[in-house]
Amino acid sequence: MAFFFAQFLTGLANAAALFLVASGLSLIFGVTRIVNFAHGSFYMLGAFVGVTLMDVLPGAVGFWGAIILTGLAVGAIGAFVEMVVLRPIYRAPELFQLVATFGVILVIQDLALMIWGAEDRLGPRAPGLRGVWRIFGEPVPKYDIILIAITPFILFALWYLITRTRVGVLVRAATQDREMVGALGVNQARLFTGVFALGSALAGWGGALQLPKGGADLLMDFNIIGAVFVVVVIGGMGSLPGAFIAAVLISVLSVFGVTYLPQSTLVLMFVVMAIVLIVRPYGLLGREEVAGEHGQVGAPETPIRPYGRTGKLLVAGLLALLAALPLFAEQFVLTLTVDMIVFALFAASLHFILGTGGLVSFGHAAFFGGGAYAAALLVFHTDTRMELAFLFAPFAAGLLALGIGWFCIRLTGVYFAMLTLAFSQLVWSLAFQWRDVTRGDDGLVNIWPAEWLNSPAAYYYFTLALGVGGILFLRHVIHAPFGYALRAGRDSPRQAEATGIDVKRIQYAAFALAGAMAGLAGGIFVFSKGSVFPTELEIGASFDALIVVFLGGVKTLAGGVVGAGFMTLVEDWLTRLEYWRLLLGLLIIAVVIIAPEGIVGSLRSLWTRIRGTESEVTK
Amino acid sequence: MTEILRVEHLKKSYDGFLAVNDVSFSVAKGELKALIGPNGAGKSTCFNMLMGQLKPTAGTVWLDDKKITGLRPREIWRRGVGRTFQITGTYPSMTVIENVQMALMSHHRKLYAIAPRAWRLYRDEAFEFLKTVEMEDQADRPCSVLAYGDLKRLELAIALCHRPRLLLMDEPTAGMAPSARIALMQLVADIVRVQGVSVLFTEHDMDVVFAHSHHIMVLNRGELITEGSAEEVRNDARVQEVYLGGGTLFAEAQNA
Ligand SMILES: Nc1ncnc2c1ncn2[C@@H]1O[C@H](COP(=O)(O)OP(=O)(O)OP(=O)(O)O)[C@@H](O)[C@H]1O
Ligand SMILES: [Mg+2]
């Protein structure tokens, strides 16, 4: 019993940092409607800045002073990011802001690497709180008790700020009705900057407070973001008490998980989330999210058309070039092109659900990696023939999408995005922790293609046929009634439902199809590399695809494909540089702000402008 | 006359505020019926409950003596009810004719087809519907560039696609020039006469209402205060009070 209680206390102590970070994210989302992916980065910055300050400032005053200063510093960084990166794009669709914050993650990762180096830092012990106290005979670190004591004060302070001060009233008004705040004559830009700074400061405090328990390292940002999103989703987006309850729930559960079910610590969190969302789709204390306004960038999307003569010639020329490639290109070019096609198919499948379907999925890598793992597992454990195992990839990924979609499709907007993210994390943690089956981060190796495909040229043609075939198939579906119905549900769900279209069911089917096609890409991928690792299922992998779709342009399928080609080349070139993340991050942010229609979209706009309004004149 | 739609004690409450309060009426086959009332009277709320967009707090809706309360919009649509919205809902990423084709694909149950090219399906049929609302010359324009009045007509074409028996129109002529309003309602009246469709519509333009409806119901603050022919409603004291407390509003209509 005493042990049980001590465990419970450890869980409560862990909840402190998690709650701080989650409340910051929740606050920012509540007011600005921005899902700040860089929130984990502010947490990481908090840890590093905290360590540095603690080295400089001596004693207990120094320790606590360092923590307070850290929050202020990270808050200032947050304000800077908000003003430079986010302010220009508040009117853009949600996806743009997400991608921009992802650019911020990359930039901060490399800046942290430059400043603090690659080595993990141990956090200093809190002065005067080094030992343990005995509670019912069990040792509990003194610092844990202090954290447990502090957390209610933080919650109370935040609650007071939000409910009892003028700023808080404004924040709440903005959470409920953003237009109204403008109407009240409040400077919206300042309010947003302030809230963003406060949210970032909370993350910074979280990072600094956990130092004596965890230290600082460069993986902290991604490591916490999954848990933070789970907490915010369980608690209900925008609800502080919800975030608190969920942070405690998740932290306590994972402490017990470590003791009693050590293989399932990561999975547990997502299982809890799934259960909560089945019972309460908008979280414990969340309210139904009215689907975000579908802001449009530039001109409204033009009706899709079959390619004209120029387009057909362009595609045919490209295909001919690809087909002739093995005749003159070196092997590394073939490998690079295979990567490109795989990525293009993956991006095209994401574009199908995101662009055509209007459903922003953050967890599409679950299907790519899921397909790859499905095939690899068959080969690895049962020695299945490659052809059969390969076919299993899209099939298994499609089934997985049916399973995940069953939960996710009921939700819209940010909730949908969060839930897909959480499920992809669930899949990732299965691959990572279920070592008996998946071999964890040792990955599955020696997954080679069948004899007849076992030369670079043969596998290249195999990829060309299935990869390009897959993309063309998706294109065909977009132009078929099913694709139109999907678009109708995106453009005007109300009208679609009022003319007999079951929007959710169409979306469900589309989600499954997108999953299967991502699985196909995963199947091609695994046999071209001969191995698969949990990295293919990471958040980063989902985001690569999102960025590619977005870089190319959301409005056309060609956007995703061109973006994938562009990205593969740029990454191949950039990753040779030491600080390639920094450059890529800056590039992404620049594109978001300067060319929000993406590569293909911007080219098309340019093309229309050059040709003038000729097409309108002929009307 | 047999009735196609019957509404009994319909009620909608928003946190205690009664947007629609105990409304009962019926629409006969082939009837062109107007539901009028000042802003915020509860007309759109009524329509949304008839077609399933909103769940009533209480009350029942019968279509051909079958209860349809609680059904979803798409199910009610499949039973032969079409509607247009006060704020138009069209598909801006499609052309005008594709908007109509989309409804036809749904009607012909082709929504899950992945083989055919959508823009070839039912194009001629869609073109006929566009002709009905005199939009054929704009068939291939992107829907996103249409004027508001044209969007309203397009919505009507969409609503006619499954040859509804009952058509609900929420302010069908809003945003149109006066002459266009009369023309559109003439068209609706023709459809009623030729195809035997029943129509229930709301409208703020009294010229349109008095010129075309067989029967008028007046809603105020969620309650039906009277109904009858144009003449009866026009001379009803309560109605005159509701509309700015005097008879001036109907002066034009009377002179017209
Ligand atoms: N979701 C809602 N929550 C609370 N009140 C609502 C809601 N929707 C409508 N109302 C209120 O219900 C009343 C009826 O609204 P409704 O839109 O049905 O009026 P209407 O007769 O269509 O008016 P209009 O002529 O302006 O279109 C209004 O007072 C409106 O403010
Ligand atoms: Mg209305």
Side-chain angles (χ1 to χ4, degrees):
Chain A
M1 191 59 217
F3 175 71
F4 208 72
F5 187 66
Q7 294 250 293
F8 180 71
L9 289 182
T10 313
L12 277 186
N14 292 348
L18 192 55
F19 166 65
L20 274 171
V21 183
S23 64
L25 185 73
S26 207
L27 204 62
I28 292 175
F29 171 78
V31 176
T32 64
R33 285 293 182 275
I34 283 184
V35 178
N36 179 24
F37 262 96
H39 212 65
S41 306
F42 292 130
Y43 169 73
M44 179 176 78
L45 277 181
F48 277 111
V49 173
V51 162
T52 312
L53 287 175
M54 284 171 194
D55 281 348
V56 184
L57 305 172
V61 178
F63 178 83
W64 295 105
I67 288 182
I68 292 179
L69 285 179
T70 298
L72 299 180
V74 175
I77 297 171
F80 175 77
V81 167
E82 195 274 344
M83 287 190 282
V84 175
V85 179
L86 295 174
R87 193 174 287 180
I89 53 169
Y90 270 118
R91 300 209 166 278
E94 289 154 359
L95 178 64
F96 288 73
Q97 294 145 6
L98 288 167
V99 172
T101 61
F102 197 76
V104 173
I105 295 183
L106 295 176
V107 171
I108 292 182
Q109 268 180 351
D110 262 2
L111 287 180
L113 178 64
M114 277 181 197
I115 300 172
W116 288 287
E119 253 161 64
D120 294 1
R121 299 289 186 96
L122 271 181
R125 295 304 180 82
L129 298 171
R130 278 166 224 269
V132 296
W133 276 312
R134 298 222 159 244
I135 295 180
F136 301 130
E138 289 288 332
V140 179
K142 289 180 183 173
Y143 190 68
D144 278 9
I145 302 291
I146 298 300
L147 279 184
I148 295 171
I150 295 178
T151 319
F153 284 103
I154 298 168
L155 179 62
F156 177 77
L158 276 177
W159 172 84
Y160 187 86
L161 179 76
I162 300 295
T163 57
R164 290 286 181 274
T165 63
R166 189 182 130 71
V167 175
V169 171
L170 286 179
V171 166
R172 270 187 307 149
T175 309
Q176 269 144 33
D177 186 350
R178 279 197 287 175
E179 275 66 44
M180 198 177 83
V181 177
L184 286 175
V186 175
N187 185 330
Q188 202 186 20
R190 274 224 307 261
L191 181 69
F192 279 19
T193 310
V195 165
F196 207 88
L198 176 61
S200 313
L202 287 169
W205 276 316
L209 264 184
Q210 61 78 50
L211 275 172
K213 293 165 69 79
D217 61 73
L218 287 172
L219 297 175
M220 287 173 77
D221 51 355
F222 275 128
N223 283 346
I224 198 163
I225 201 78
V228 169
F229 278 127
V230 166
V231 164
V232 172
V233 168
I234 290 182
M237 302 280 303
S239 161
L240 285 180
F244 180 72
I245 297 171
V248 170
L249 186 72
I250 290 300
S251 302
V252 170
L253 266 180
S254 46
V255 171
F256 283 113
V258 170
T259 313
Y260 298 107
L261 287 166
Q263 301 83 24
S264 68
T265 42
L266 295 166
V267 180
L268 199 63
M269 184 161 78
F270 298 106
V271 173
V272 172
M273 187 190 69
I275 293 171
V276 168
L277 288 175
I278 294 169
V279 184
R280 291 190 61 90
Y282 298 95
L284 292 175
L285 300 180
R287 281 193 295 165
E288 181 166 353
E289 176 66 14
V290 184
E293 58 259 61
H294 286 275
Q296 283 273 8
V297 176
E301 187 173 329
T302 47
I304 50 176
R305 281 274 150 270
Y307 279 133
R309 265 252 308 278
T310 332
K312 275 190 186 135
L313 280 176
L314 220 62
V315 172
L318 187 68
L319 281 180
L321 180 70
L322 284 175
L325 202 61
L327 302 180
F328 55 85
E330 290 174 50
Q331 193 174 328
F332 84 91
V333 178
L334 290 190
T335 314
L336 195 66
T337 314
V338 167
D339 288 352
M340 228 187 245
I341 294 174
V342 166
F343 202 15
L345 175 58
F346 180 32
S349 73
L350 177 63
H351 172 272
F352 181 68
I353 193 70
L354 184 153
T356 311
L359 295 168
V360 181
S361 163
F362 284 173
H364 208 54
F367 310 118
F368 177 81
Y373 261 97
L377 284 170
L378 271 192
V379 173
F380 194 83
H381 290 292
T382 64
D383 254 331
T384 311
R385 294 174 48 133
M386 177 262 175
E387 292 87 345
L388 217 63
F390 177 78
L391 284 179
F392 189 58
F395 180 72
L399 280 183
L400 183 65
L402 279 178
I404 294 179
W406 189 83
F407 292 102
C408 299
I409 288 295
R410 293 183 295 165
L411 306 178
T412 51
V414 181
Y415 277 90
F416 175 82
M418 293 291 103
L419 201 54
T420 49
L421 176 89
F423 271 108
S424 77
Q425 283 295 90
L426 174 64
V427 176
W428 170 80
S429 48
L430 276 178
F432 192 74
Q433 276 196 326
W434 199 4
R435 299 191 62 93
D436 297 344
V437 175
T438 63
R439 303 208 326 144
D441 52 5
D442 294 337
L444 297 167
V445 291
N446 280 331
I447 317 293
W448 295 113
E451 207 55 53
W452 59 281
L453 288 172
N454 216 350
S455 76
Y459 202 77
Y460 174 80
Y461 281 117
F462 178 72
T463 305
L464 193 62
L466 285 167
V468 175
I471 294 171
L472 291 179
F473 171 69
L474 277 174
R475 193 185 139 78
H476 189 86
V477 172
I478 290 173
H479 290 247
F482 180 63
Y484 269 60
L486 186 61
R487 220 145 37 95
R490 175 201 69 187
D491 278 3
S492 175
R494 190 188 55 178
Q495 178 71 270
E497 285 281 340
T499 46
I501 302 178
D502 187 340
V503 173
K504 292 288 179 200
R505 213 168 84 179
I506 294 273
Q507 289 176 339
Y508 189 38
F511 193 71
L513 177 61
M517 296 314 279
L520 180 64
I524 303 175
F525 169 84
V526 69
F527 289 105
S528 81
K529 298 288 177 222
S531 59
V532 59
F533 299 92
T535 38
E536 302 311 328
L537 291 159
E538 277 176 359
I539 299 180
S542 291
F543 267 83
D544 279 350
L546 274 174
I547 288 170
V548 152
V549 167
F550 157 83
L551 271 182
V554 186
K555 288 175 189 167
T556 64
L557 181 67
V561 175
V562 171
F566 177 76
M567 186 77 156
T568 314
L569 286 179
V570 168
E571 269 196 340
D572 181 65
W573 174 73
L574 268 183
T575 44
R576 293 175 205 169
L577 306 173
E578 195 178 353
Y579 293 114
W580 64 273
R581 285 192 194 81
L582 179 68
L583 292 176
L584 186 60
L586 290 175
L587 177 73
I588 289 169
I589 294 172
V591 171
V592 171
I593 296 174
I594 299 165
E597 289 185 69
I599 302 171
V600 174
S602 298
L603 285 180
R604 260 211 328 201
S605 296
L606 196 68
W607 175 243
T608 343
R609 221 177 317 150
I610 291 170
R611 288 206 313 181
T613 49
E614 172 194 332
S615 52
E616 269 297 300
V617 176
T618 53
K619 287 270 142 68
Chain B
M1 275 200 296
T2 42
E3 53 192 34
I4 182 160
L5 180 79
R6 187 150 47 88
V7 178
E8 286 172 352
H9 308 295
L10 205 57
K11 191 164 161 183
K12 180 75 196 179
S13 143
Y14 289 113
D15 297 327
F17 169 74
L18 285 170
V20 172
N21 187 11
D22 200 22
V23 165
S24 305
F25 63 87
S26 61
V27 178
K29 282 193 177 137
E31 190 178 25
L32 183 56
K33 198 163 194 169
L35 179 66
I36 65 168
N39 288 109
K43 305 180 295 289
S44 298
T45 309
C46 258
F47 271 43
N48 287 336
M49 289 192 287
L50 296 184
M51 184 89 189
Q53 275 91 12
L54 273 180
K55 278 213 164 32
T57 311
T60 329
V61 183
W62 306 82
L63 182 73
D64 290 333
D65 297 324
K66 292 207 186 62
K67 203 168 137 181
I68 57 165
T69 5
L71 293 188
R72 294 161 192 282
R74 59 169 186 274
E75 294 163 335
I76 296 176
W77 182 80
R78 294 252 178 237
R79 290 173 186 224
V81 183
R83 80 164 285 183
T84 66
F85 294 91
Q86 181 169 354
I87 298 164
T88 54
T90 47
Y91 312 128
S93 73
M94 299 182 195
T95 62
V96 169
I97 193 163
E98 281 171 352
N99 267 269
V100 183
Q101 284 169 285
M102 187 72 247
L104 286 167
M105 285 184 249
S106 178
H107 179 48
H108 294 288
R109 298 190 186 264
K110 280 274 191 276
L111 292 174
Y112 291 88
I114 55 170
R117 301 260 156 182
W119 60 80
R120 287 196 197 130
L121 285 182
Y122 316 117
R123 209 185 135 88
D124 298 340
E125 204 178 336
F127 200 74
E128 289 305 315
F129 283 110
L130 283 181
K131 263 194 202 152
T132 315
V133 298
E134 292 166 5
M135 291 272 296
E136 68 273 22
D137 50 338
Q138 308 204 56
D140 287 312
R141 295 186 77 194
C143 173
S144 54
V145 303
L146 289 191
Y148 192 67
D150 288 344
L151 281 176
K152 286 254 158 194
R153 288 197 283 165
L154 172 58
E155 240 197 355
L156 177 59
I158 294 174
L160 290 174
C161 274
H162 68 320
R163 306 197 179 275
R165 292 173 297 146
L166 174 66
L167 193 57
L168 309 173
M169 296 196 292
D170 201 348
E171 303 199 7
T173 71
M176 292 185 181
S179 59
R181 289 173 184 224
I182 299 290
L184 184 88
M185 282 316 288
Q186 190 55 55
L187 180 94
V188 173
D190 289 347
I191 293 172
V192 167
R193 197 163 33 79
V194 176
Q195 303 181 12
V197 180
S198 317
V199 175
L200 179 67
F201 73 107
T202 75
E203 187 54 70
H204 280 296
D205 184 331
M206 291 306 146
D207 291 344
V208 170
V209 173
F210 289 127
H212 292 288
S213 34
H214 305 152
H215 201 84
I216 301 171
M217 300 184 288
V218 186
L219 197 64
N220 186 38
R221 299 196 187 166
E223 295 184 31
L224 269 188
I225 55 172
T226 188
E227 60 178 300
S229 67
E231 200 61 34
E232 286 160 0
V233 166
R234 195 180 291 162
N235 296 326
D236 190 302
R238 282 166 304 178
V239 177
Q240 301 197 347
E241 199 178 303
V242 164
Y243 278 96
L244 303 172
T248 48
L249 191 83
F250 296 143
E252 282 176 76
Q254 264 162 339
N255 297 340

